[in-house]
Amino acid sequence: MNKKITILLSLLLALGLFVTGCGNTNTSVQSSSEVVVAVAAPLTGDYAQYGNAFKMATELKAREINEAGGINGKTLKLAFYDDKNDAKEAANIAQRLVDDKNILGVIGNFSSSASLAAASVYEAGGLVQFSPTSSHSDFTKQGNYMFRNINTQAIEAPMAANMVVNEMGKEKIAVIYINNDWGITAKDNFINAVNDIGGTIIAEESFIGGQTQDFTSILTKINGVKPDVIFVAAFYSETGMIAQQLQQLGYDYPLAGLSALYNEELIKLAGDTVEGLFLTTNFFPSDSDELVNNFLNNFKEAYGQDPDQFAAVAYDTLGMLAKAIEIAGEDRAAIRDELAKIANYEGVTGNTTFNENRDVIKTMRILQIQDGKFKLFK
Amino acid sequence: MFIQQMINGITLGSTYALTAIGYTMVFGILELVNFSHGTVYMFGAFICLMLMTVLGLNFFLAFGISIVLTGILGIAIDRIALLPLRKRNAPKVTALISTIGVSIFIQNLVMVLWGSETKNFPRVIATKHIQFESFRISHLQVIILATSLILMIGLTFLIKKTKIGKAMRATAQNIHVAKLMGINVDFVISFTFFLGATLATVAGVMVGMYYQSVDPMMGFMAGLKAFSAAVLGGIGILPGAVLGGLLIGVSETIAAGYIHSGYRDAIAFGILIAVLLIKPTGLLGKEVQKKV
């Protein structure tokens, strides 16, 4: 029995080596007039709004690049793949993209779970997987071809802890977090940082994303310990429900959260119940910056709506990848090396340089919802 | 705090109960677990919301139209996905899988039509509440509970006292014999689906109002909980659906409030399993002879 398994495993391994071997020798055989970059994101399904933000922003950036002459005289073409934010689907797409020699780099995936699932395939195939939004600390540890364009929770959550304890001046903190990869790392980093700077966590409650709609029982429980503030490590839809149910129950606690809340839908959904909410953010449309201003105007002109932070990071992600391709030419390994070297890229989400782990450290700002709008607090 | 938790639980439970009534009714007639019911519930809430926001209709008009439209959808589901299977005498499990397919189709249709993000459901009834010493009950909570009780009583009356109710019971007993006795079985089944879908709409809209939000995935967990409620109370028995819904809602709330929020579903479903091990027919179920 064991022998059979060993033989099977070695066969699989041999096959794997054969496939990756092919992958490494056959790059840059095509010399068409197009440069193709893939975008793998949830275009349908539960998280489609985020995938569509990627799609709109990357299409806008590609058009701008092409209008300015393309990449080394060639047209930049985007190929969209729908991973439905499903880990299996993300890995399948990764295999297809690795095998397709025309693809020079991949923008995606959206969530940490999907990105992590696909990472080993991209690494084996030697294809850049550049996620605009995966903030799980393990993502870029999967290999040399993983890049991200957003602060990890190891960076963002301590900033949020500082915001709650020092800017808001709250000491006793209750935490509600979404029970997934992202929520747990965010919560753990937040709690560690709060303990370091002298705050106290007095309650920790979790919920299952996309399934839990009723928060009254955990809010009633939290009311029993009387916190100074409720910190929410969750996305906007559930945070909106938490805020509304707090009001329905007649409790009045200030709320704070992470950049995942920076979406106009939060205010539409929760109205005045999120008034005063504090959050960290990677991107804020400020009028003073010409680059940001152009982006805002072009986006609004193209799609009739304001870009959110997901669109903004995706826009910069394609910008950086295109720059790497321009220098490296059509060779996957060279593109990876050039991308890693990019320093001080001026994008709409600020100035970006990769560290040795291909993570970025971006300055974050604090927003507060005032009079039904996101306003810059600091 | 305990009383507040009980009230939270009873409200949550009555939203399950409302949905469970539809499950239990279709099962009562067809012996079919209609897994598209949760999605129909979501669809009803979405149609109502869209009529209000896109066409600007007032709530009661939108509610009325959405009930009718969703009812028609219920009939369509039966005609398109189930009737052809019945005609061919396909096994019950085929019909069950067909309803799962329908549910995925409708869910994706809604996402294509209106996007997948969570949407705000307008505040129709002002959030007033009755304040007691240490707890409060909102008017909406009272309305939800009252609605599910009224619907339960109304349906019991419909099934026990009216002609169509008699036809439904006959069809439930034996579909072939009922046909021989001159009952228009296809009409009875269509009517059942219509009724089930309208009830799901009422539930969906109530829940939309209560949480002030609707999203295309809202039907999945609610459907699962409502199905469990129907089974817990004794599937096919109307008061059982309400009792089961309340019990699951309360046990879930107590679990989240006093043990840990991470265990809420595990404990709710654990109670379900425990009850079924002790009394497989559900709390209000009677031992019946299996049809051959």
Side-chain angles (χ1 to χ4, degrees), chain A residues 337-359:
Chain A
D337 294 341
E338 283 307 326
L339 188 58
K341 275 187 234 159
I342 281 184
N344 294 319
Y345 178 85
E346 284 297 337
V348 295
T349 57
N351 184 304
T352 309
T353 304
F354 291 104
N355 68 10
E356 69 280 8
N357 299 322
R358 298 165 315 286
D359 295 335

Side-chain angles (χ1 to χ4, degrees), chain A residues 44-49 177 179 204-208 210-218 220-224 236-238 241 244-245 247-251 265 268-270 272-273, chain B residues 1 4-5 8 12 41 108 111 116-121 123 127 129 136 138 140 207 209-215 217-218 220-221 252-254 256-262 264-265:
Chain A
T44 62
D46 213 5
Y47 289 82
Q49 65 266 39
Y177 64 98
N179 202 343
E204 255 182 72
E205 298 293 335
S206 70
F207 67 91
I208 314 241
Q211 294 186 4
T212 309
Q213 282 194 315
D214 187 276
F215 295 91
T216 52
S217 57
I218 61 177
T220 304
K221 187 178 176 187
I222 284 173
N223 183 51
Y236 76 87
S237 50
E238 274 115 357
M241 290 185 218
Q244 286 179 333
Q245 289 172 34
Q247 195 191 48
Q248 280 175 11
L249 287 163
Y251 306 148
E265 290 291 329
K268 277 193 211 152
L269 202 62
D272 59 352
T273 58
Chain B
M1 177 169 149
Q4 184 69 59
Q5 289 289 28
N8 298 340
L12 180 65
Y41 148 103
N108 282 284
M111 283 188 213
S116 65
E117 66 271 12
T118 306
K119 292 185 175 56
N120 175 33
F121 201 94
R123 205 174 287 182
T127 45
H129 52 265
R136 55 156 75 180
S138 78
L140 202 56
V207 170
M209 274 175 5
Y210 184 50
Y211 297 127
Q212 287 171 40
S213 66
V214 291
D215 70 279
M217 300 301 290
M218 70 190 270
F220 174 69
M221 203 58 188
E252 192 181 317
T253 307
I254 297 297
Y258 293 95
I259 303 166
H260 191 276
S261 47
R264 62 188 302 162
D265 293 342

Side-chain angles (χ1 to χ4, degrees), chain B residues 55-250:
Chain B
L55 296 185
L57 300 182
N58 83 29
F59 170 70
F60 292 99
L61 192 58
F63 191 30
I65 297 175
S66 68
I67 285 180
V68 175
L69 286 179
T70 316
I72 293 169
L73 174 76
I75 297 175
I77 289 174
D78 178 51
R79 286 289 150 104
I80 295 165
L82 298 173
L83 186 63
L85 294 173
R86 265 203 308 280
K87 286 239 163 89
R88 274 178 235 164
N89 272 329
K92 289 241 157 77
V93 69
T94 318
L96 185 142
I97 291 164
S98 182
T99 62
I100 296 177
V102 166
S103 129
I104 294 169
F105 174 78
I106 297 174
Q107 211 169 62
N108 282 284
L109 183 75
V110 167
M111 283 188 213
V112 171
L113 287 177
W114 297 304
S116 65
E117 66 271 12
T118 306
K119 292 185 175 56
N120 175 33
F121 201 94
R123 205 174 287 182
V124 182
I125 297 162
T127 45
K128 288 197 180 125
H129 52 265
I130 313 158
Q131 182 79 48
F132 294 91
E133 190 72 37
S134 61
F135 62 94
R136 55 156 75 180
I137 305 174
S138 78
H139 288 184
L140 202 56
Q141 289 177 321
V142 177
I143 292 172
I144 290 173
L145 188 57
T147 308
S148 54
L149 288 175
I150 290 169
L151 284 176
M152 185 197 85
I153 294 164
L155 273 171
T156 312
F157 176 79
L158 180 97
I159 288 172
K160 291 269 156 71
K161 304 283 178 197
T162 62
K163 208 172 166 192
I164 180 85
K166 208 175 198 176
M168 282 163 86
R169 278 183 291 145
T171 311
Q173 282 281 322
N174 190 320
I175 195 163
H176 302 294
V177 178
K179 208 180 248 170
L180 291 175
M181 294 293 122
I183 292 172
N184 186 347
V185 171
D186 285 332
F187 174 78
V188 170
I189 291 171
S190 288
F191 180 76
T192 310
F193 269 90
F194 180 84
L195 216 55
T198 56
L199 290 173
T201 310
V202 175
V205 170
M206 288 279 162
V207 170
M209 274 175 5
Y210 184 50
Y211 297 127
Q212 287 171 40
S213 66
V214 291
D215 70 279
M217 300 301 290
M218 70 190 270
F220 174 69
M221 203 58 188
L224 211 55
K225 288 275 171 65
F227 171 62
S228 311
V231 173
L232 182 61
I235 194 153
I237 300 156
L238 286 176
V242 177
L243 178 70
L246 292 178
L247 275 177
I248 287 193
V250 169

Side-chain angles (χ1 to χ4, degrees), chain A residues 12-262:
Chain A
L12 280 174
L13 196 69
L15 193 69
L17 285 175
F18 175 72
V19 170
T20 48
C22 290
N24 287 339
T25 47
N26 285 346
T27 39
S28 74
V29 281
Q30 299 257 341
S31 60
S32 68
S33 60
E34 279 175 346
V35 169
V36 190
V37 166
V39 179
L43 300 174
T44 62
D46 213 5
Y47 289 82
Q49 65 266 39
Y50 305 110
N52 286 325
F54 281 15
K55 184 165 192 278
M56 288 189 283
T58 49
E59 275 179 339
L60 178 68
K61 184 74 192 181
R63 199 161 66 227
E64 288 172 8
I65 290 172
N66 289 331
E67 276 165 10
I71 298 177
N72 297 330
K74 292 187 176 182
T75 314
L76 172 61
K77 189 173 167 250
L78 297 176
F80 290 97
Y81 290 85
D82 179 13
D83 68 17
K84 304 181 184 69
N85 201 36
D86 178 281
K88 294 186 293 296
E89 199 74 25
N92 287 342
I93 289 171
Q95 194 57 59
R96 275 168 67 188
L97 295 179
V98 162
D99 293 344
D100 183 346
K101 298 302 164 228
N102 292 321
I103 305 289
L104 295 178
V106 180
I107 292 176
N109 306 62
F110 163 67
S111 74
S112 296
S113 309
S115 303
L116 283 166
S120 61
V121 183
Y122 287 118
E123 179 65 18
L127 181 61
V128 165
Q129 180 194 17
F130 193 176
S131 173
T133 47
S134 298
S135 62
H136 193 289
S137 51
D138 287 348
F139 169 58
T140 48
K141 293 178 190 152
Q142 303 301 307
N144 280 320
Y145 282 83
M146 280 74 240
F147 292 79
R148 75 173 115 223
N149 196 12
I150 199 160
N151 283 327
T152 64
Q153 283 310 315
I155 296 162
E156 179 173 9
M159 288 180 184
N162 182 55
M163 165 182 86
V164 172
V165 177
N166 295 328
E167 304 292 340
M168 294 174 78
K170 307 295 181 190
E171 236 171 64
K172 291 189 295 172
I173 303 159
V175 179
I176 301 177
Y177 64 98
I178 182 167
N179 202 343
N180 64 16
D181 282 345
W182 175 84
I184 292 168
T185 34
K187 172 213 65 157
D188 287 343
N189 283 304
F190 177 80
I191 289 177
N192 289 338
V194 164
N195 290 334
D196 287 346
I197 54 179
T200 327
I201 304 291
I202 54 169
E204 255 182 72
E205 298 293 335
S206 70
F207 67 91
I208 314 241
Q211 294 186 4
T212 309
Q213 282 194 315
D214 187 276
F215 295 91
T216 52
S217 57
I218 61 177
L219 293 176
T220 304
K221 187 178 176 187
I222 284 173
N223 183 51
V225 296
K226 302 270 177 251
D228 296 334
V229 60
I230 300 177
F231 179 76
V232 192
F235 298 106
Y236 76 87
S237 50
E238 274 115 357
T239 306
M241 290 185 218
I242 289 171
Q244 286 179 333
Q245 289 172 34
L246 264 178
Q247 195 191 48
Q248 280 175 11
L249 287 163
Y251 306 148
D252 187 23
Y253 296 108
L255 292 169
L258 297 158
S259 58
L261 297 183
Y262 182 36

